[in-house]
Amino acid sequence: MLDFSLSKEQEELQSLVRRFTKAEILPNIQKWDEEHHFDMGVVKKLADLGLMGVCIPEEYGGAGMDYNALAIVCEELEYGDTAYRTAVSVHTGLNSMTLLQWGTEEQKQKYLVPQAKGEKLGAFGLTEPDAGSDAGSIRTRAVRDGDSYILNGSKIWISMADYADNFLIFASVDPEKKHRGISAFIVERSFPGVTTRPLKGKLGIHGGDTGEVILTDVRVPAANRLGEDGEGFKIAMSALDNGRFTVAAGAAGLTRACLDASVEYAHTRKTFGVEIGRHQLVQQMIAKMEAGYQTSKLLVYKVGWLKNQGVRNTRECSLAKWIASDVAYQSASDAVQVHGAYGYSNEYPVERFLRNSKALVIYEGTREIHTVMQAEYALGYREDKALNRMLPAFDAK
Ligand code: COS
């Protein structure tokens, strides 16, 4: 059966997050963006509503909804601002869902439960100054020492670095084995030797937190290793299958924000004696936003549908992330164009949309990485193997 409708529960969730964004984010976001302020009060309220672990099963402290519920949360939050969707992406998509997929029961009880409840915040540390797209080349080292590992290295472009309680850190236990020598570790901020510092000078997401995580002789118990030694690269990639899903869903929200702002402006601004919405070249930009929004949503919900069945969705997720982020970037650029000179100033939100949208085409796999992946799938050079641990299917009981 093919069903494009939202369930009653999903509709209620959508209207809850829509109201939340309208009340808590939209009235403040321009000021927060100007002041480079990330508001933890918003995260606290999201946690109180159960939205920091919406698709985590109830037995692990989450709201127990399906994976498309996470897409709904991300779309609605990014309608307000990319910063808050990014917080959910790293906390739920990249960290908590990875614990759900790969964690032992003990690790889930200790780390996933408080994260799903939003009592603790999670982040994800893969990227390094010299390893972004080429994630298999990370240099952070983990050396076994009795029943722990000693970690040294640094991670960069880490969203929520300054606020997270727990990091999922990827480090090499055997550099000669390249990507097969990487392991994954749950690292608490409180572990001696962990320091973070914010990154300055970003083009966009001024209302969000991005930083560096520096690890200096950090002793991590072996019990905090996720999966086996050498499984870290697969764990990172499977985490990205969830993170990219949240980015794609958020991108749809950003595109909808561009569309709504452009439609409103096109009705109010007049040139040549008519509102600019009557001009066909403006209509063309608006039509492309509408088509892009609908296309993005179809791709995103298909990925959620696959996740609900517990099947691998790397290919579909990469496609959704690539298309939805490209659409958001193009829509934001066109939204500025529709607004003309006013769009170039912060009197209207579209300049923020344009600055924020650029991040979407870069993080969690650049446009170019996803283009190559799609070509490799189509050409038969890339094939997804079965994994020993899958994200659990959604049990609709
Ligand atoms: N889930 C689980 N395992 C995966 C996987 C996934 N989604 N994707 C790949 N793997 C496994 C493969 O099965 C392969 O296993 P074996 O070693 O047993 O053969 C291994 O990981 C290596 O995969 P692959 O051959 O696909 O690696 P490549 O070097 O060809 O490509 C790309 C990897 C470029 C696709 C990858 O490095 C990538 O996505 N880079 C972008 C990183 C990124 O998004 N960074 C953003 C960080 S967050 S801001």
Side-chain angles (χ1 to χ4, degrees), residues 124 126-127 132-133 135 179-180 233-234 237-238 240-241 244 312 314 363-365 369 373 382 385 387:
F124 184 80
L126 174 65
T127 301
S133 293
H179 76 267
R180 291 197 178 117
F233 190 79
K234 279 184 199 176
M237 291 299 124
S238 65
L240 286 165
D241 287 345
R244 289 166 180 170
R312 187 139 172 211
T314 306
Y363 61 24
E364 304 217 21
I369 286 289
M373 283 175 73
R382 177 174 290 274
K385 293 185 200 154
L387 289 174

Side-chain angles (χ1 to χ4, degrees), residues 110-124:
K110 185 166 180 193
Y111 293 105
L112 177 58
V113 170
Q115 285 185 190
K117 291 180 179 167
E119 294 164 359
K120 296 277 181 193
L121 264 188
F124 184 80

Side-chain angles (χ1 to χ4, degrees), residues 238 241-242 245 302-304 306-308 310-319 377 384 390-391:
S238 65
D241 287 345
N242 298 324
F245 171 59
K302 181 176 175 193
V303 178
L306 289 168
K307 286 186 190 298
N308 284 342
V311 299
R312 187 139 172 211
N313 46 83
T314 306
R315 181 178 186 169
E316 295 80 3
C317 185
S318 155
L319 182 67
Y377 278 121
D384 289 342
M390 284 305 300
L391 197 61

Side-chain angles (χ1 to χ4, degrees), residues 22-249:
K22 204 170 165 196
E24 306 290 341
I25 301 177
L26 287 173
N28 306 310
I29 192 59
Q30 189 179 341
K31 183 167 176 285
W32 289 343
D33 193 75
E34 274 169 28
E35 294 173 354
H36 292 245
H37 170 72
F38 179 78
D39 197 80
M40 277 301 284
V42 170
V43 175
K44 168 85 181 57
K45 287 175 190 159
L46 286 171
D48 290 345
L49 291 168
L51 300 178
M52 295 303 282
V54 77
C55 61
I56 304 297
E58 285 173 349
E59 60 179 307
Y60 294 119
M65 292 186 74
D66 77 326
Y67 297 109
N68 270 325
L70 178 62
I72 290 169
V73 171
C74 289
E75 177 181 337
E76 296 307 325
L77 285 182
E78 188 141 5
Y79 188 86
D81 194 64
T82 304
Y84 297 93
R85 192 274 305 151
T86 300
V88 169
S89 286
V90 300
H91 171 81
T92 307
L94 289 174
N95 189 319
S96 299
M97 287 168 79
T98 313
L99 297 183
L100 181 65
Q101 182 169 350
W102 294 91
T104 60
E105 190 54 31
E106 205 178 27
Q107 289 168 339
K108 287 181 195 165
Q109 292 301 336
K110 185 166 180 193
Y111 293 105
L112 177 58
V113 170
Q115 285 185 190
K117 291 180 179 167
E119 294 164 359
K120 296 277 181 193
L121 264 188
F124 184 80
L126 174 65
T127 301
E128 297 182 357
D130 289 316
S133 293
D134 184 8
S137 297
I138 55 170
R139 289 194 191 154
T140 295
R141 283 297 313 270
V143 178
R144 183 88 193 210
D145 182 36
D147 59 359
S148 41
Y149 289 79
I150 308 295
L151 266 61
N152 277 288
S154 73
K155 300 289 174 179
I156 200 167
W157 297 113
I158 307 305
S159 302
M160 303 300 293
D162 296 296
Y163 296 91
D165 300 286
N166 307 322
F167 298 94
L168 214 51
I169 296 287
F170 296 86
S172 179
V173 286
D174 188 348
E176 286 199 349
K177 288 194 182 153
K178 306 258 169 70
H179 76 267
R180 291 197 178 117
I182 294 172
S183 298
F185 300 92
I186 304 165
V187 177
E188 296 180 26
R189 168 184 296 282
S190 60
F191 288 173
V194 176
T195 48
T196 61
R197 59 172 177 241
L199 280 168
K200 306 269 187 227
K202 283 181 298 180
L203 171 69
I205 324 188
H206 290 171
D209 179 68
T210 316
E212 276 180 83
V213 180
I214 298 122
L215 305 147
T216 314
D217 293 329
V218 180
R219 185 171 284 277
V220 180
N224 279 29
R225 192 190 66 212
L226 204 59
E228 299 300 321
D229 263 336
E231 269 189 325
F233 190 79
K234 279 184 199 176
I235 295 173
M237 291 299 124
S238 65
L240 286 165
D241 287 345
N242 298 324
R244 289 166 180 170
F245 171 59
T246 64
V247 174

